[in-house]
C-alpha cells in the first residue's frame, strides 16, 4: 500500500521539471521512433536534425539557435496523444509531424487547443484539413488529389479493366476509394478490389486470384515493402501485367526487395524526389544528407517532414515572431512561397499544400526511378 | 481492511490534488494509467479471479468504444448517458462470444480469445455493417458533459476517469467478497470441486466474462470520448497483451496489485520517454528488459492475492464479518 | 421409500465396460455402503449418479424424478452432495471459505446484490457464515475456520469435505472413501459422525474399504465386481454371501 | 481448376514455414507447458543473422550457392539455438516453479526485448537479402508455374520436420524428451536429467525457428524487425490447431493453416483472410477442444 503512495510521490517530484527561459527556438517533431513505422520516424529525425544544423550554421532564426525537440508517437494513436500533450509542455513554438493520418488526428486537437501550429508530413486523409482547424497544415498532398492523378494516369494509358489492391490502412484505403470513385466516371471497370494484410511475406494467393480476373493493370495503393513482394511474386507466377503504385511505394528499397528484373516497368505516383528537382536547395540537401548518413533519403514522407520544418523556420523569420497566430497567418497568406526540398511550398486557407505535386515515375531496367514526362 | 481503506483514501486524495503540481503531460499519463486500470481490473475478474485465460480483452474494449462512438455520432446520445448501454452491449457480446468456447481449457481458451479479438478487429477494419468507418474509424465524437459542464482539459478527465476507477475499485471489492466473488475463486482453484459443491461453473464463467466485458466496454466509451476519434489501430492484439501483462505483473487476482501494475506498465514507458530522452528508440528495449526482471524477482506479481479470512466470534457467539 | 434408485445403469469407456447393468436403491434415512475390490467401478457409479459422467444406458431416479443427464450442480441443487476419493478441497483458501462453497447453491445474491449490498444480501451472507460455522462445529473443525485448507491433516481434510458437502443441505450424502488416510481414532470419530448424520435425517451412501467401519455403519451394502452388482442386502447377509466371500473377501482373508 | 491447384501450392509454401515455427512452440510447450512468446522473435533473429552472415562473408561466392546456404543454415541454427538457451537460462528458468502465466509474461518481455534489440542493432529499416544467392528458376508442374525456391523450401521444412520426428521417436534422447513432456517428476525419478531435456528443447526449437527465419529471408528477400510478431502468432495458432505439445500436430496445423489462408483468400475474401483462419480455428476447437491431434484428457475424479 505504501508502495503506491511512494510511486505517486516520485511521480510528483519528477514532474516538477524546471522551465528555463527560452534561449533557443524550439521546434517539436512528432515521429514514430519505435514500433512498426520506426524507419520513417528515424529518417524524419535525421533529416530535420540535418536541416536544423544548417539553419543554425546560417545564424539561426531571430538571433536564436533552433532546437529540435523529438517526441516518439510510437505509431499508435494513444501514445501519440500522450506525446502531443508532452510536447505542449516543452515550450515548443510549432510542431512538425506526424507520420500517419490516424496518428496525426490523435494529437491534432491537442495542438489546436494549445494552440500550436502543426505541419503534418505523412498524413494524406482528406478530412484532416476539412475540420476548419486554424493552425493545422500539411506538406503532404491529399488522397483526393493523388486519386485524381492515379485515375487520370490509368485512363491516359488506355487501361479498360483495372484491379485495385490496398492494405486496409487508412491511407491506402482512402486512396483506393478516391481512385475507384473516379474510375467509375471514366468508364473504366474495376474488376477486382480487395485488401491484403501488410507485414506478411507471401502474397501469391492474392496474385493468383487477381490474375484470374484478367485485369489490364493493377493499382496498388499500399506501401513499398508489400509492393516489392508483389512485383517479385508476380514475376514468379509468370504474370506480366503493368503495376501502378501510390506514393507510399516511392522508396529505393522497393527495387531491392523486388529485384531489378521484377521492378522494371513499375509505375508509381509521387511528389518529385529531391534528386529530380532542378532547385539547388534540393540538390544540396541530397548531397549533404548522403554525406552525413551514407545514403540518399529513402522515404518521400520523411523528406516532406523536412519541408514542414523549413516552412516553420521561414514562417518565423517572415513573421518575425514565434507567436502561433502570426506563424499561421504568414503560412496561409496568399503569395507566401517557401523554398522547400520538394519545390516551392504554398498553403491554401485550409492548410493544404497548393499546386501540382504529383508526378509519374517509372522504374527502369537499372532500377532507377525515372520521371515520366 | 482498515489499513487498505486508509491507503486507498490517501492515494485518491493525492490523485485529486495532483493537478496542483503536475503538468498536463503527467496528468495525461495518469489518465492513461486510469483507463488501463479500469481495463485491467475488468480483465482481472476474468483472468485473475476466475482463472480464465483471456488474451483478447481489447475486443470488449473496442465494442464499448465503437458502441459509444456510433450512438454519439449517429444518434447524438451523450457519452455519459451511453456508458451503461456500452457496458451492456459489451457484456452481451462477452456472453455471446464466450458461450460456445467457455468449455475450452487454459491455452486453448487463450488462443481462441486472441482469435476473437482479431476477428473483431478485422471486422472493424472492413467496415462491418457500414457502421465502423473502416480503417479511418469514427471521428467527431463529443466530449462528455457532466452536469452541463464540458469535460476536455486533462485535469477534468483526471477526475472523470479516476472517479470511475474509484467506483470500480469500490464495487469490485464488494464483488470479490460476495457469493459471486467466492464462486470465481472456487472455479479457479478447482473446477470439478466447484461444480460438485453446487456451483454452476458454466454460468459463473459466462458471468465473469460478462462483467469483465461490461467494464472494458465502459472504459472504451471513456476512451472514445477522450480521444474524440477511434480507429481499429487502438484495439490490436498488442492492446490485449498489454492489459494481460498488467494483470499478471500487478498480482493476478489482487485489486491493489492490478492498480500498481497499471501504474508500472503504462507509467514506465512514459517515464522512460521523459528521462531517457537521448535514447528514445531504446524506450521499448528497456521496457522489455524491465518486464523480464520484474517477473524473475517477483514471480507472483507485485502484490499477489492472499487468502480471505473472516473475523470470527469466540466459539459459541454470533459471527460478524 | 426409495430416495435414490439406479436402474440398469451401464457405462463404457472405449471398449471397457466400467459399469454393467447395475441396479440398486437407497432408502431415505439409511446408511448404504458400496463395496467391492479395487477397479470394480465404485467411484464410476458415484460419478454417474452425481452427473460427472452420463450413463450410456439405464436410469437414475432421485426422489422419484430422473436426474440422468443433469449437470452436477443441478444434482447438488436437487439434494445430492458428495466428497471425493482424491481430496478436492480449495487448497489455497481458508477452511471457512471451503464450507461456504457448499452454501453457494442455497444463496441467491447475484452480481447486483453484491454491488448494492442490500440488507437482504447482508443478512443472507451472515446466515451463510453462521451455517458454515455450524457445519464446521458439527464435524469438529470450527477452531480451524481461519486456517488454510492445505494446512489441515489428511483426516481433517476429509472432514472438511464432508462439512462442505453438508453446507449444500443435502438429503443424500455420497462419501467416497471417507476413512481413506485416517488413523484409528479418526475412523472411530468418523463412525460417530456418520451416525450423527443419520440422526439428522441425512441419507448416507458411501464407498469404503475399511470393512469394520462399513459393517458397523451401514444398514445395507451393495457389492460390485468388474462393474457388475454381485450382491445387495444387509451387512450380515452380504458378509455370508459366498459370491462376495469368493470374489472380494477371499477365502482366507479376515474382515480387517 | 488450375487456379485451385495453384492456390494449394501457395498455401503449402506458407504453411511449411508456419509448421516449422510452430514446432518450436509445441516442443517448448510439451515439456514446460510454457507459451514461449519470444519464439517469433527468435525466428526474426534467424533471418537477421542470416542476413549478416550472408552479406559479410560472401559465403556463396566461395563455396557455391548450395553448400554455402547449407553452411549458412547450420551457422544460423547454431547461433539462434545458443540465444534460445541463454534465454531459457536467464528468463524462464527462475520462473519454473511459479504460476504459469508469470513465465508467459516474462516471455512477452523477452519478445519485446529481442525485437527492440534487433531494431537497435540493425536499425528500423527493412533489410533486403542479396538477390543473386538463390536461383530464380521457375519450373512448370502440370502446367503450373512454381518457383523452384518454393519447392526447395517445402522440401527443406519437411526434411527438418521428419528429422525432428525421427529424433523424438527413435532415439534415447528423444524418448527422454517425450517422457519429460508427460510427467517431469516421474521422468526425473527414472533418472532422466530434466534440466538437460529442457535445455535441449530450447536448443532444438529455436534452431528450427531460426532456420525458418533464414528461409523467409532467402526466399522472400525482405526482413524487418517486427515480422516475428506476425509469424509468431500464426505459428502459435497452428500449434494449437494441431494440438499443442504434439509434434505431428504442429506440422499438420501449420500446413492446414497455410491452406486455409490461401483458399480463404482465393474463394472468400482477401481482406477477411485472417478472420477466416481464426474462425476455422475456433470452429475446430469447439468440435475438438484439444486440437486436431491433441490428446483428450478426461478429468480423473
Amino acid at each position: 500500500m505504501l508502495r503506491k503512495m511512494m510511486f505517486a510521490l516520485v511521480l510528483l517530484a519528477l514532474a516538477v521539471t524546471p522551465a528555463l527561459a527560452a534561449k533557443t527556438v524550439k521546434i517539436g517533431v512528432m515521429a514514430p521512433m519505435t514500433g512498426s513505422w520506426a524507419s520513417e520516424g528515424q529518417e524524419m529525425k535525421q533529416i530535420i536534425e540535418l536541416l536544423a544544423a544548417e539553419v543554425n550554421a546560417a545564424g539561426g532564426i531571430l538571433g536564436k539557435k533552433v532546437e529540435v525537440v523529438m517526441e516518439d508517437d510510437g505509431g499508435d494513436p494513444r501514445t501519440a496523444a500522450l506525446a502531443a500533450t508532452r510536447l505542449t509542455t516543452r515550450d515548443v513554438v510549432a510542431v512538425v509531424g506526424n507520420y500517419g493520418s490516424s496518428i496525426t488526428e490523435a494529437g491534432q486537437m491537442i495542438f489546436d487547443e494549445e494552440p500550436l501550429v502543426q505541419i503534418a508530413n505523412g498524413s494524406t486523409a482528406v478530412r484532416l484539413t476539412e475540420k476548419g482547424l486554424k493552425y493545422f497544415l500539411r506538406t503532404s498532398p491529399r488522397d483526393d488529389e493523388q486519386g485524381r492523378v492515379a485515375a487520370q494516369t490509368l485512363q491516359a494509358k488506355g487501361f479498360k479493366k483495372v484491379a485495385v489492391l490496398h492494405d486496409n490502412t487508412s491511407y491506402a484505403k482512402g486512396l483506393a476509394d478516391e481512385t475507384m470513385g473516379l474510375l467509375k466516371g471514366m468508364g473504366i471497370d474495376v474488376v477486382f478490389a480487395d485488401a491484403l494484410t501488410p507485414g506478411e511475406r507471401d502474397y501469391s494467393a492474392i496474385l493468383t486470384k487477381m490474375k484470374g480476373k484478367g485485369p489490364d493493370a493493377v493499382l496498388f495503393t499500399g506501401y513499398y515493402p508489400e509492393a516489392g513482394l508483389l512485383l517479385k511474386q508476380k514475376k514468379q507466377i509468370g504474370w506480366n501485367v503493368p503495376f501502378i503504385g501510390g506514393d507510399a511505394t516511392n522508396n529505393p528499397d522497393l527495387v531491392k526487395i523486388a529485384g531489378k528484373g521484377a521492378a522494371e516497368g513499375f509505375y508509381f505516383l509521387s511528389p518529385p524526389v529531391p534528386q529530380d528537382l532542378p532547385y539547388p536547395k534540393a540538390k544540396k540537401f541530397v548531397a549533404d544528407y548522403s554525406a552525413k548518413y551514407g545514403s540518399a533519403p529513402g522515404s518521400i514522407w520523411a523528406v516532406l517532414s523536412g519541408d514542414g520544418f523549413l516552412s516553420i523556420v521561414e514562417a518565423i523569420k517572415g513573421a518575425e515572431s514565434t507567436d502561433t497566430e502570426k506563424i499561421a497567418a504568414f503560412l496561409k497568406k496568399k503569395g507566401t512561397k517557401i523554398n522547400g526540398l520538394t519545390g516551392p511550398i504554398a498553403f491554401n486557407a485550409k492548410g493544404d499544400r497548393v499546386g501540382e505535386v504529383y508526378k509519374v515515375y517509372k522504374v527502369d531496367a537499372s532500377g532507377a526511378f525515372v520521371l515520366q514526362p | 481492511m482498515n489499513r487498505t481503506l486508509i491507503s486507498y483514501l490517501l492515494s485518491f486524495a493525492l490523485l485529486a490534488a495532483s493537478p496542483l503540481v503536475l503538468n498536463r503531460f503527467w496528468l495525461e499519463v495518469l489518465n492513461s494509467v486510469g483507463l488501463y486500470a479500469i481495463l485491467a481490473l475488468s480483465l482481472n475478474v476474468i483472468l485473475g479471479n476466475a482463472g480464465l485465460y483471456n488474451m483478447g480483452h481489447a475486443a470488449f474494449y473496442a465494442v464499448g468504444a465503437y458502441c459509444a462512438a456510433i450512438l454519439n455520432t449517429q444518434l447524438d446520445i451523450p457519452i455519459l448517458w451511453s456508458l451503461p448501454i456500452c457496458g451492456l452491449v459489451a457484456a452481451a457480446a462477452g456472453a455471446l462470444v464466450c458461450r460456445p468456447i467457455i468449455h475450452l481449457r487454459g491455452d486453448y481458451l487463450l488462443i481462441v480469445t486472441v482469435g476473437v479479438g482479431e476477428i473483431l478487429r478485422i471486422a472493424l477494419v472492413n467496415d462491418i455493417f457500414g457502421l465502423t468507418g473502416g480503417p479511418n474509424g469514427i471521428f467527431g465524437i463529443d466530449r462528455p458533459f457532466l452536469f452541463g459542464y464540458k469535460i476536455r482539459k486533462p485535469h477534468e478527465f483526471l477526475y472523470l476517469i479516476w472517479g470511475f476507477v474509484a467506483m470500480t475499485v469500490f464495487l469490485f471489492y464488494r464483488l470479490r467478497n460476495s457469493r459471486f466473488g467466492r464462486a470465481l475463486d472456487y472455479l479457479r482453484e478447482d473446477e470439478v470441486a466447484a461444480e460438485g459443491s453446487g456451483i454452476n461453473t458454466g454460468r459463473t464463467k459466462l458471468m465473469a466474462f460478462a462483467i469483465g466485458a461490461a467494464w472494458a466496454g465502459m472504459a472504451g466509451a471513456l476512451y472514445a470520448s477522450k480521444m474524440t476519434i477511434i480507429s481499429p489501430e487502438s484495439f490490436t492484439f498488442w492492446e490485449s497483451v498489454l492489459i494481460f501483462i498488467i494483470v499478471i505483473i500487478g498480482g493476478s487476482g489482487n485489486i491493489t496489485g492490478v492498480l500498481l501494475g497499471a501504474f508500472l506498465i503504462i507509467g514506465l514507458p512514459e517515464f522512460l520517454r521523459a528521462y531517457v530522452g537521448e535514447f528514445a528508440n531504446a524506450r521499448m528495449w528497456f521496457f522489455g528488459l524491465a518486464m523480464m526482471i520484474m517477473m524473475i524477482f517477483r514471480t507472483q506479481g507485485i502484490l499477489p492475492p492472499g487468502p480471505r479470512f473472516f473475523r470470527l466470534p469466540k466459539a459459541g457467539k454470533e459471527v460478524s464479518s | 421409500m426409495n430416495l435414490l434408485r439406479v436402474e440398469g445403469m451401464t457405462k463404457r469407456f472405449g471398449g471397457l465396460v466400467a459399469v454393467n447393468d447395475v441396479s440398486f436403491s437407497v432408502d431415505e434415512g439409511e446408511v448404504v455402503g458400496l463395496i467391492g475390490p479395487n477397479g470394480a467401478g465404485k467411484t464410476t457409479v458415484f460419478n454417474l449418479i452425481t452427473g460427472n459422467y452420463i450413463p450410456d444406458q439405464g436410469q437414475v431416479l432421485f426422489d422419484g424424478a430422473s436426474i440422468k443427464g443433469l449437470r452436477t450442480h443441478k444434482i447438488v441443487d436437487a439434494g445430492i452432495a458428495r466428497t471425493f476419493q482424491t481430496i478436492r478441497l480449495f487448497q489455497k483458501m481458508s477452511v471457512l471459505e471451503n464450507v461456504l462453497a457448499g452454501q453457494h447453491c442455497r444463496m441467491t445474491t447475484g452480481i447486483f446484490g453484491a454491488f448494492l449490498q442490500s440488507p437482504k444480501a447482508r443478512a443472507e451472507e451472515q446466515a451463510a457464515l453462521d451455517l458454515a460455522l455450524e457445519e464446521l462445529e458439527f464435524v469438529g473443525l470450527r477452531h480451524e475456520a481461519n486456517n488454510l485448507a492445505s494446512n489441515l491433516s489428511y483426516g481433517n481434510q476429509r472432514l472438511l469435505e464432508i462439512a462442505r458437502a453438508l453446507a449444500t443441505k443435502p438429503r443424500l450424502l455420497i462419501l467416497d472413501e471417507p476413512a481413506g488416510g485416517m488413523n484409528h481414532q479418526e475412523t472411530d470419530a468418523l463412525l460417530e459422525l456418520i451416525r450423527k448424520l443419520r440422526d439428522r435425517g441425512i441419507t448416507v451412501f458411501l464407498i469404503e474399504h475399511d470393512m469394520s467401519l462399513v459393517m458397523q455403519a451401514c444398514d445395507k451394502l451393495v457389492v460390485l465386481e468388474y462393474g457388475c452388482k454381485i450382491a445387495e442386502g444387509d451387512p450380515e447377509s452380504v458378509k455370508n454371501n459366498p459370491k462376495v466371500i469368493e470374489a472380494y473377501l477371499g477365502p482366507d482373508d479376515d474382515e480387517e | 481448376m488450375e487456379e485451385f491447384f495453384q492456390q494449394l501450392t501457395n498455401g503449402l509454401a506458407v504453411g511449411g514455414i508456419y509448421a516449422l515455427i510452430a514446432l518450436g512452440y509445441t516442443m517448448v510447450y510439451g515439456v514446460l507447458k510454457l507459451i514461449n512468446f519470444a519464439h517469433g522473435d527468435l525466428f526474426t533473429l534467424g533471418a537477421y543473422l542470416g542476413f549478416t552472415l550472408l552479406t559479410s562473408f560472401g559465403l556463396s561466392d566461395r563455396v557455391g550457392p548450395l553448400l554455402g546456404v547449407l553452411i549458412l543454415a547450420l551457422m544460423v541454427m547454431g547461433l539462434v539455438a545458443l540465444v534460445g538457451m541463454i534465454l531459457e537460462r536467464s528468463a524462464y528458468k527462475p520462473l519454473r516453479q511459479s504460476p504459469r502465466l508469470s513465465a508467459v509474461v516474462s516471455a512477452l518481455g523477452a519478445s519485446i526485448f529481442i525485437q527492440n534489440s534487433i531494431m537497435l542493432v540493425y536499425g528500423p529499416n527493412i533489410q533486403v537479402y542479396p538477390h543473386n544467392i538463390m536461383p530464380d528458376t521457375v519450373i512448370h508442374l502440370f502446367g503450373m508455374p512454381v518457383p523452384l525456391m518454393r519447392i526447395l523450401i517445402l522440401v527443406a521444412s519437411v526434411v527438418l520436420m521428419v528429422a525432428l520426428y525421427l529424433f523424438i521417436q527413435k532415439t534415447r534422447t528423444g524418448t527422454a524428451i517425450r517422457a519429460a513432456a508427460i510427467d517431469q517428476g516421474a521422468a526425473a525419478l527414472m533418472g532422466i536429467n530434466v534440466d538437460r531435456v529442457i535445455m535441449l528443447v530450447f536448443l532444438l526449437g529455436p534452431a528450427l525457428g531460426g532456420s525458418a527465419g533464414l528461409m523467409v529471408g532467402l526466399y522472400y528477400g525482405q526482413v524487418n524487425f517486427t515480422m516475428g510478431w506476425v509469424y509468431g502468432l500464426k505459428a502459435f495458432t497452428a500449434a494449437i490447431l494441431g494440438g499443442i505439445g504434439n509434434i505431428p500436430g504442429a506440422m499438420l496445423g501449420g500446413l492446414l493453416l497455410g491452406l486455409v489462408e490461401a483458399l480463404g483468400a482465393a474463394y472468400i475474401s482477401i481482406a477477411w483472410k485472417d478472420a477466416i483462419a481464426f474462425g476455422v480455428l475456433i470452429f475446430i476447437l469447439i468440435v475438438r477442444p484439444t486440437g486436431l491431434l491433441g490428446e483428450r484428457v478426461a478429468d480423473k475424479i
Side-chain angles (χ1 to χ4, degrees), chain B residues 201-220:
Chain B
T201 49
R203 189 163 173 277
T204 307
K205 286 180 185 177
L206 275 188
M207 297 290 274
F209 259 100
I211 279 281
W215 252 262
M218 290 192 276

Side-chain angles (χ1 to χ4, degrees), chain A residues 250-263:
Chain A
N250 178 2
N251 192 307
D253 278 351
L254 172 101
V255 180
K256 281 211 261 169
I257 295 163
K260 282 172 193 153

Side-chain angles (χ1 to χ4, degrees), chain B residues 134-148:
Chain B
N136 289 325
I138 299 175
F139 53 99
I141 304 160
D142 285 337
R143 303 278 192 182
F145 278 89
L146 199 59
F147 308 118

Side-chain angles (χ1 to χ4, degrees), chain B residues 47 53 104-105 107-108 111-112 115 118 122-123 126 238 248 281 284-285 288-289 291-292 295-296 299-300, chain D residues 29 35 90 95 98 100 102 105-106 109 112-113 116-117 119 236 240 244 271-272 274-275 278 285 289-290 299:
Chain B
L47 174 65
Y53 295 3
L104 294 176
R105 282 156 197 244
D107 304 301
Y108 291 95
I111 191 70
V112 164
E118 281 297 284
I122 292 166
N126 284 306
W238 168 244
I248 304 296
N281 25 7
M284 296 310 283
W285 184 85
L289 189 64
M291 261 170 72
M292 281 192 282
M295 279 340 291
I296 291 167
T299 55
Q300 312 266 329
Chain D
Y29 189 90
I35 310 168
S90 53
L95 288 157
S98 1
R100 285 189 47 208
S102 300
V105 167
S106 185
I112 298 170
F113 178 78
N116 281 279
S117 303
M119 185 192 90
F236 176 50
I240 290 267
I244 194 158
W272 287 81
D274 285 0
F278 279 116
L285 287 185
T290 50
D299 254 309

Side-chain angles (χ1 to χ4, degrees), chain B residues 88 170-183 185-204 207-208 210-211 215 306-321, chain C residues 52 71-74 76-77 80-82 84 87-94 96-112 114-117 122 124-126 128-130 133 137 142 145-148 164 168:
Chain B
L88 283 176
F170 176 74
L171 291 179
F172 279 15
Y173 258 107
R174 285 191 153 187
L175 195 66
R176 185 167 150 59
N177 292 316
S178 74
R179 168 177 176 261
F180 178 72
R182 284 194 301 268
D185 287 343
Y186 302 139
L187 185 64
R188 184 192 61 232
E189 288 291 311
D190 186 337
E191 193 176 333
V192 173
E195 181 81 24
S197 308
I199 290 158
N200 186 342
T201 49
R203 189 163 173 277
T204 307
M207 297 290 274
I211 279 281
W215 252 262
R308 200 176 0 224
F309 294 118
F310 293 86
R311 208 182 309 157
L312 298 178
K314 292 260 164 23
K317 284 200 188 137
E318 282 306 298
V319 192
S320 69
S321 66
Chain C
N52 294 93
R71 302 257 319 269
T72 302
H73 68 91
K74 288 269 184 207
V76 175
D77 198 43
I80 301 179
R82 73 171 295 176
F84 296 88
I87 296 173
R88 294 193 89 132
L89 288 168
F90 308 111
Q91 296 286 351
K92 285 185 221 150
M93 299 172 78
S94 75
L96 185 58
E97 274 186 297
N98 268 278
V99 184
L100 280 172
Q103 272 286 295
H104 185 90
C105 64
R106 303 294 168 214
M107 294 165 76
T108 57
T109 309
I111 287 170
F112 289 101
F115 285 162
L116 297 173
Q117 285 201 3
R122 282 164 191 263
E124 187 185 70
E125 187 75 13
Q126 192 59 53
L129 271 175
D130 292 345
L133 283 171
E137 183 94 63
R142 181 170 173 149
N146 264 343
N147 204 344
L148 281 189
R164 181 176 71 187
T168 67

